Every structure is written in C-alpha cells, then in structure tokens.
Amino acid sequence: MAVDPLIELRDVNKYYGELHVLQDIDLTVGKGEVVVVIGPSGSGKSTLCRTINRLETIESGSIRLDGQPLPEEGKALAQLRAEVGMVFQSFNLFAHKTVLQNVSLAQVKVRKRKKDEADKRSRELLDRVGLAAHADKFPAQMSGGQQQRVAIARALAMDPKALLFDEPTSALDPEMINEVLEVMQQLARDGMTMVVVTHEMGFARTAADRVVFMADGKIVEDRAPEEFFTHPESERARDFLSKIL
Ligand code: ADP
Ligand code: MG
C-alpha cells in the first residue's frame, strides 16, 4: 500500500534451540494500518509480537521502526519499547494499585511526566475506553473486560506509534469480548497502527487492512481480509479456516 512503513521486518529468523520459530519473515506494517495475525497454536504469532518489541532477540534479519533499526539494549531500547505498546492476553495490571495509578505509573517513570499531568492524561484515556468512573477502583474490583480496557488505556498513555495485541480477548468470558473489540475498532478508526493476534474473525473482517496467516514459523498468506476469507490460497489456511469458521 502507498503509505509510509512504520514496522518493517526483513528476512527475520529466530530459533529456540533447535526450533526455527520464525523463518524468513518479511512483514511491513504501514502507518495507520491494522494487520491481523492468525494461525494455528504454536505457529509463532506471539514470538512475532515479542520480536517486534525486542522482548526477544533474533538470529538474523533486520527490524526497523519508523525507519530506525531496533537498538540492541540500554536506554534506546527502553525508549523503543515505549514507542510500541503491547497488550497481552493476561492483563498484567498491578493488583495493589488503583486503575488510575496503573495508567499513570509508566508515564511518570518512562515518559518523565509530572504526576498531575500523568493523572490528567490517564483520566482522558480512561474516558476514551469507557471507564472514567472507575479510576479509583482496584483491578480485582473490575471484570476481565474492564481490566483489559485499563490495559489498553495504559498502553495508550505512552503515546505509542503502534500497538501490538496478543490475543487480547482470549482470556475473557464471551460476554466481555465485544466491549474490548469495540475499543480496538475505535482505535483502528482513529488511525492507530496495530498488529493484532486474534481468533476473532469478525474483528479481522471489519477492522483489518490485511490478514497475515502464519503456520510453522512462516508467513503463508498476507492479503486483504475479504480475499483471504473467501479465497484462501494455501491448503494450510483452508484447513485452518474450516476448523474455526
Ligand atoms: P503462537 O503464539 O502462534 O501459539 P508461539 O510464538 O507462542 O506460537 O510459539 C511458537 C513455538 O515456539 C511453539 O512451538 C512454542 O512451544 C515455542 N516457544 C515459544 N516460546 C518459547 C521459549 N521461550 N522457549 C522455547 N520455545 C518456545
Ligand atoms: Mg500465542
């Protein structure tokens, strides 16, 4: 597509011991693009997300963020992690801190904002995810869907250039999935660059610009959602879709 690339992976290879978990991965995510990653369990989707954020090292290839190669370590790496927010299946909120504190903490520590300024931004973001009235609660007082929306607000609080979601609704009771997907849909409409690992095919169809199908550490298909869902090219994708749709 004719937009500036934000995330660029070229010929990325990663091993866990003998396991070649990412094989010659080429992936470009443009600014404002939403890429949904699907594929069988164990195909390397989570590893791909973690690799983009340098939570994992790679054996070969290159990863660029907004034109810059990913730094190896140190301050530059911490800065980069702040540029790419990550939302996990388990919400990873601090249990002994309030919702407001959860969203403000890294703003003060990493973005060096004053506490007042951070709290103000946190309240704006909690409002954006529909939780303005819950700022003083503790995570355990909230439902899973609400906690995941707090986690999204916390990621947004760093003003990231991109957000990575790794199965953000997989740990939720069914009735809570939509409230989280709606927040994500809104982010997509607002132009956030997103990489989303999910089994929610409705989300993929409506929010994704592209669907990336992974199997055995490889990107097997990378296409527009409608094309992918109606005419999957590979046997692997046809087999996968027949099981989940
Ligand atoms: P997915 O998210 O698609 O289910 P993962 O990226 O979690 O796949 O895992 C891909 C493969 O790598 C799996 O075979 C998994 O067992 C293996 N794996 C994941 N993390 C590690 C690790 N830290 N050490 C060794 N093997 C791992
Ligand atoms: Mg995974």
Side-chain angles (χ1 to χ4, degrees):
M1 52 184 307
V3 297
D4 283 349
L6 182 63
I7 299 168
E8 295 169 276
L9 287 83
R10 287 289 160 271
D11 242 338
V12 168
N13 285 280
K14 176 173 180 59
Y15 294 81
Y16 287 124
E18 300 280 286
L19 178 67
H20 195 174
V21 62
L22 295 179
Q23 304 183 23
D24 303 321
I25 299 290
D26 276 304
L27 177 68
T28 303
V29 182
K31 287 182 183 162
E33 233 185 338
V34 177
V35 173
V36 163
V37 180
I38 66 172
S41 176
S43 56
K45 306 179 299 294
S46 294
T47 304
L48 178 71
C49 283
R50 295 166 59 80
T51 297
I52 292 173
N53 219 6
R54 263 280 194 265
L55 292 168
E56 301 281 356
T57 55
I58 57 176
E59 271 65 56
S60 69
S62 71
I63 305 175
R64 286 173 171 266
L65 181 71
D66 216 359
Q68 302 295 316
L70 289 199
E72 292 292 330
E73 55 195 11
K75 262 195 165 160
L77 180 57
Q79 193 63 31
L80 167 110
R81 291 232 177 90
E83 307 278 333
V84 183
M86 189 136 172
V87 176
F88 302 90
Q89 181 174 333
S90 53
F91 329 119
N92 297 339
L93 299 177
F94 294 110
H96 57 289
K97 296 202 183 296
T98 66
V99 165
L100 186 72
Q101 288 168 337
N102 265 282
V103 182
S104 290
L105 199 64
Q107 294 183 65
V108 174
K109 287 210 165 159
V110 181
R111 287 295 195 213
K112 308 293 178 204
R113 288 183 190 146
K114 296 209 169 61
K115 188 177 170 300
D116 287 359
E117 195 190 331
D119 285 350
K120 182 167 177 279
R121 178 83 178 121
S122 297
R123 288 185 192 280
E124 285 166 12
L125 289 167
L126 286 170
D127 188 39
R128 189 164 165 193
V129 299
L131 295 172
H134 301 258
D136 299 321
K137 287 191 179 166
F138 287 89
Q141 297 172 292
M142 306 178 85
S143 72
Q146 289 172 327
Q147 290 186 54
Q148 191 60 300
R149 286 186 282 149
V150 174
I152 294 172
R154 181 179 57 178
L156 288 170
M158 305 305 282
D159 299 324
K161 288 180 174 164
L163 283 181
L164 311 177
F165 293 84
D166 190 4
E167 302 203 28
T169 60
S170 297
L172 298 177
D173 291 334
E175 73 273 20
M176 292 168 192
I177 290 175
N178 277 338
E179 65 192 62
V180 172
L181 293 179
E182 275 163 24
V183 167
M184 292 167 62
Q185 297 263 17
Q186 189 57 51
L187 289 175
R189 282 195 292 270
D190 291 345
M192 177 59 76
T193 306
M194 295 162 52
V195 175
V196 183
V197 179
T198 185
H199 301 297
E200 294 295 328
M201 297 302 128
F203 177 83
R205 278 175 185 272
T206 54
D209 295 296
R210 281 155 49 209
V211 172
V212 165
F213 175 72
M214 284 186 79
D216 299 332
K218 298 191 194 81
I219 292 180
V220 179
E221 303 204 26
D222 179 349
R223 335 234 317 266
E226 275 321 303
E227 282 175 46
F228 176 75
F229 289 115
T230 52
H231 303 290
E233 275 172 359
S234 61
E235 187 61 43
R236 289 301 299 267
R238 279 196 291 273
D239 181 53
F240 178 76
L241 289 173
S242 73
K243 286 178 182 141
I244 62 160
L245 290 181

